[in-house]
Amino acid sequence: MAQERTATLKGNPITLIGPELKKGDKAPDFQLNKSLVDVVSLSDFAGKVKLISVVPSIDTGVCDAQTRRFNQEAAGLGEKVAILTVSVDLPFAQARWCGAAGVDQVTLLSDYKDNNFGEAYGVLIKELKLDMRAIFVVDGNDTIQYVEVLNEMAEHPDYEKAIAATKELI
Protein backbone atom coordinates (compact mmCIF):
# COMPACT_ATOMS: atom_id res chain seq x y z
CA MET A 1 0.00 0.00 0.00
CA ALA A 2 1.29 3.46 -0.90
CA GLN A 3 2.31 5.92 1.78
CA GLU A 4 -0.19 8.67 2.54
CA ARG A 5 0.05 12.04 4.29
CA THR A 6 -2.24 15.04 4.64
CA ALA A 7 -2.13 18.51 3.07
CA THR A 8 -4.88 21.07 2.45
CA LEU A 9 -6.77 22.76 -0.37
CA LYS A 10 -8.18 26.08 0.86
CA GLY A 11 -8.10 24.69 4.39
CA ASN A 12 -9.83 21.40 3.53
CA PRO A 13 -7.82 18.19 4.05
CA ILE A 14 -6.50 16.28 1.04
CA THR A 15 -4.38 13.13 0.91
CA LEU A 16 -0.99 12.92 -0.82
CA ILE A 17 0.03 9.48 -2.08
CA GLY A 18 3.63 8.34 -2.34
CA PRO A 19 6.92 8.77 -0.49
CA GLU A 20 7.99 11.97 1.23
CA LEU A 21 11.18 12.63 -0.73
CA LYS A 22 14.05 14.49 0.92
CA LYS A 23 17.35 16.10 0.00
CA GLY A 24 19.86 13.35 -0.73
CA ASP A 25 17.28 10.89 -2.11
CA LYS A 26 17.75 9.54 -5.61
CA ALA A 27 15.21 11.16 -7.94
CA PRO A 28 12.66 8.57 -9.06
CA ASP A 29 12.45 7.93 -12.80
CA PHE A 30 9.25 8.97 -14.53
CA GLN A 31 7.36 8.66 -17.80
CA LEU A 32 5.71 11.96 -18.74
CA ASN A 33 4.02 13.02 -21.95
CA LYS A 34 5.54 15.91 -23.90
CA SER A 35 2.75 15.43 -26.44
CA LEU A 36 0.06 12.80 -26.80
CA VAL A 37 2.63 10.41 -28.33
CA ASP A 38 6.05 11.70 -27.19
CA VAL A 39 7.11 10.42 -23.77
CA VAL A 40 10.15 11.57 -21.80
CA SER A 41 11.88 10.20 -18.72
CA LEU A 42 14.42 11.48 -16.22
CA SER A 43 17.26 10.17 -18.42
CA ASP A 44 16.24 12.56 -21.21
CA PHE A 45 17.68 15.33 -19.01
CA ALA A 46 20.84 13.41 -18.00
CA GLY A 47 23.73 15.53 -16.77
CA LYS A 48 21.60 18.65 -16.37
CA VAL A 49 20.38 20.27 -13.21
CA LYS A 50 16.62 19.84 -13.20
CA LEU A 51 14.27 22.33 -11.58
CA ILE A 52 10.97 20.45 -11.50
CA SER A 53 8.01 22.72 -10.83
CA VAL A 54 4.86 20.74 -10.08
CA VAL A 55 1.46 22.41 -10.46
CA PRO A 56 -2.10 21.06 -10.13
CA SER A 57 -3.39 22.74 -13.33
CA ILE A 58 -1.72 25.27 -15.60
CA ASP A 59 -5.05 27.11 -16.07
CA THR A 60 -5.24 28.42 -12.49
CA GLY A 61 -3.82 31.67 -11.16
CA VAL A 62 -1.05 30.39 -8.89
CA CYS A 63 0.03 27.70 -11.37
CA ASP A 64 0.12 30.28 -14.16
CA ALA A 65 2.21 32.65 -12.02
CA GLN A 66 4.55 29.87 -10.89
CA THR A 67 5.26 28.74 -14.46
CA ARG A 68 5.71 32.29 -15.76
CA ARG A 69 8.13 33.06 -12.91
CA PHE A 70 10.38 30.09 -13.71
CA ASN A 71 10.21 30.96 -17.41
CA GLN A 72 11.53 34.45 -16.54
CA GLU A 73 14.28 33.01 -14.32
CA ALA A 74 15.44 30.60 -17.06
CA ALA A 75 17.63 33.15 -18.85
CA GLY A 76 19.77 33.59 -15.74
CA LEU A 77 20.21 29.84 -15.27
CA GLY A 78 21.66 28.91 -18.65
CA GLU A 79 21.95 25.75 -20.72
CA LYS A 80 23.03 23.46 -17.86
CA VAL A 81 19.57 23.69 -16.31
CA ALA A 82 16.34 22.09 -17.53
CA ILE A 83 13.21 23.69 -16.11
CA LEU A 84 10.29 21.28 -16.18
CA THR A 85 6.71 22.05 -15.24
CA VAL A 86 4.65 18.95 -14.47
CA SER A 87 0.86 18.89 -14.29
CA VAL A 88 -1.93 16.48 -15.17
CA ASP A 89 -3.23 18.83 -17.87
CA LEU A 90 -3.44 17.23 -21.30
CA PRO A 91 -0.38 17.94 -23.48
CA PHE A 92 -2.36 19.96 -26.04
CA ALA A 93 -3.82 22.14 -23.26
CA GLN A 94 -0.27 22.73 -21.98
CA ALA A 95 0.90 23.66 -25.50
CA ARG A 96 -2.04 26.03 -25.96
CA TRP A 97 -1.29 27.71 -22.62
CA CYS A 98 2.43 28.09 -23.47
CA GLY A 99 1.59 29.74 -26.78
CA ALA A 100 -0.90 32.14 -25.21
CA ALA A 101 1.44 32.96 -22.29
CA GLY A 102 4.59 33.28 -24.40
CA VAL A 103 6.33 30.66 -22.25
CA ASP A 104 9.24 29.17 -24.20
CA GLN A 105 12.00 28.44 -21.66
CA VAL A 106 10.13 25.83 -19.62
CA THR A 107 9.30 22.30 -20.78
CA LEU A 108 5.74 21.39 -19.84
CA LEU A 109 5.16 17.70 -19.21
CA SER A 110 1.92 15.87 -18.52
CA ASP A 111 1.29 13.27 -15.82
CA TYR A 112 -2.25 12.66 -17.12
CA LYS A 113 -1.95 9.03 -18.26
CA ASP A 114 -1.22 7.10 -15.09
CA ASN A 115 -0.04 9.66 -12.52
CA ASN A 116 3.28 7.79 -12.21
CA PHE A 117 5.21 11.00 -11.53
CA GLY A 118 2.79 12.13 -8.84
CA GLU A 119 2.91 8.82 -7.03
CA ALA A 120 6.71 8.37 -7.37
CA TYR A 121 7.38 11.91 -6.10
CA GLY A 122 4.76 11.75 -3.33
CA VAL A 123 2.59 14.56 -4.69
CA LEU A 124 -0.43 12.72 -6.15
CA ILE A 125 -3.64 14.01 -4.55
CA LYS A 126 -5.78 10.94 -3.89
CA GLU A 127 -9.13 12.74 -3.96
CA LEU A 128 -8.52 14.83 -7.10
CA LYS A 129 -6.01 12.83 -9.17
CA LEU A 130 -4.01 16.06 -9.53
CA ASP A 131 -0.40 16.65 -8.49
CA MET A 132 0.22 18.85 -5.43
CA ARG A 133 2.17 22.07 -5.87
CA ALA A 134 5.84 21.31 -5.27
CA ILE A 135 9.40 22.11 -6.33
CA PHE A 136 12.19 19.57 -6.72
CA VAL A 137 15.75 20.55 -7.64
CA VAL A 138 17.73 17.56 -8.90
CA ASP A 139 21.46 17.64 -9.64
CA GLY A 140 23.22 16.26 -12.73
CA ASN A 141 23.61 12.88 -10.99
CA ASP A 142 19.85 12.65 -10.36
CA THR A 143 20.11 13.27 -6.61
CA ILE A 144 17.48 15.53 -5.07
CA GLN A 145 19.11 18.65 -3.62
CA TYR A 146 16.01 20.69 -2.72
CA VAL A 147 12.38 19.83 -1.99
CA GLU A 148 9.36 21.97 -1.22
CA VAL A 149 5.97 20.27 -1.17
CA LEU A 150 3.43 22.83 -0.11
CA ASN A 151 1.06 22.07 2.76
CA GLU A 152 -1.61 24.33 1.22
CA MET A 153 -2.26 23.95 -2.51
CA ALA A 154 -3.40 27.56 -3.02
CA GLU A 155 -0.10 29.08 -1.76
CA HIS A 156 2.96 30.01 -3.82
CA PRO A 157 6.24 28.12 -3.41
CA ASP A 158 9.39 29.89 -2.21
CA TYR A 159 10.73 30.94 -5.62
CA GLU A 160 13.90 32.53 -4.22
CA LYS A 161 14.96 29.39 -2.32
CA ALA A 162 14.31 27.16 -5.36
CA ILE A 163 16.33 29.44 -7.66
CA ALA A 164 19.16 29.71 -5.10
CA ALA A 165 19.27 25.91 -4.74
CA THR A 166 19.43 25.59 -8.53
CA LYS A 167 22.22 28.18 -8.89
CA GLU A 168 24.32 26.36 -6.27
CA LEU A 169 24.47 23.35 -8.60
CA ILE A 170 25.46 25.12 -11.81
Side-chain angles (χ1 to χ4, degrees):
M1 184 167 166
Q3 294 173 298
E4 294 185 357
R5 59 193 191 288
T6 304
T8 59
L9 169 59
K10 297 184 178 177
N12 297 306
I14 54 177
T15 308
L16 302 183
I17 298 174
E20 189 168 357
L21 298 176
K22 300 175 291 308
K23 180 178 178 176
D25 288 346
K26 203 68 172 160
D29 197 10
F30 53 74
Q31 300 289 309
L32 292 168
N33 284 76
K34 194 170 182 176
S35 71
L36 286 178
V37 292
D38 296 323
V39 176
V40 299
S41 67
L42 188 62
S43 64
D44 287 302
F45 307 97
K48 290 191 174 216
V49 173
K50 292 149 290 281
L51 190 161
I52 305 172
S53 172
V54 185
V55 299
S57 176
I58 199 68
D59 285 316
T60 63
V62 177
C63 301
D64 178 293
Q66 182 172 329
T67 305
R68 287 176 192 262
R69 172 69 184 269
F70 288 125
N71 189 66
Q72 290 169 347
E73 297 283 355
L77 297 174
E79 295 294 314
K80 294 180 183 174
V81 177
I83 302 177
L84 314 176
T85 292
V86 176
S87 75
V88 296
D89 296 300
L90 292 173
F92 51 80
Q94 291 176 334
R96 175 196 45 76
W97 181 89
C98 283
V103 168
D104 58 0
Q105 301 297 308
V106 173
T107 302
L108 269 76
L109 299 171
S110 179
D111 195 21
Y112 85 96
K113 261 190 186 163
D114 59 13
N115 302 115
N116 80 58
F117 176 92
E119 194 160 348
Y121 281 72
V123 295
L124 179 62
I125 302 168
K126 183 178 186 177
E127 296 84 355
L128 304 173
K129 295 295 185 248
L130 296 173
D131 290 339
M132 183 65 168
R133 187 175 320 287
I135 307 289
F136 299 92
V137 177
V138 179
D139 68 21
N141 296 315
D142 295 338
T143 300
I144 297 171
Q145 298 298 332
Y146 175 84
V147 176
E148 181 186 13
V149 177
L150 279 79
N151 289 322
E152 168 56 56
M153 184 196 288
E155 293 178 358
H156 286 268
D158 190 328
Y159 300 109
E160 287 75 22
K161 279 188 180 175
I163 295 300
T166 303
K167 286 181 176 178
E168 285 177 17
L169 300 172
I170 306 173

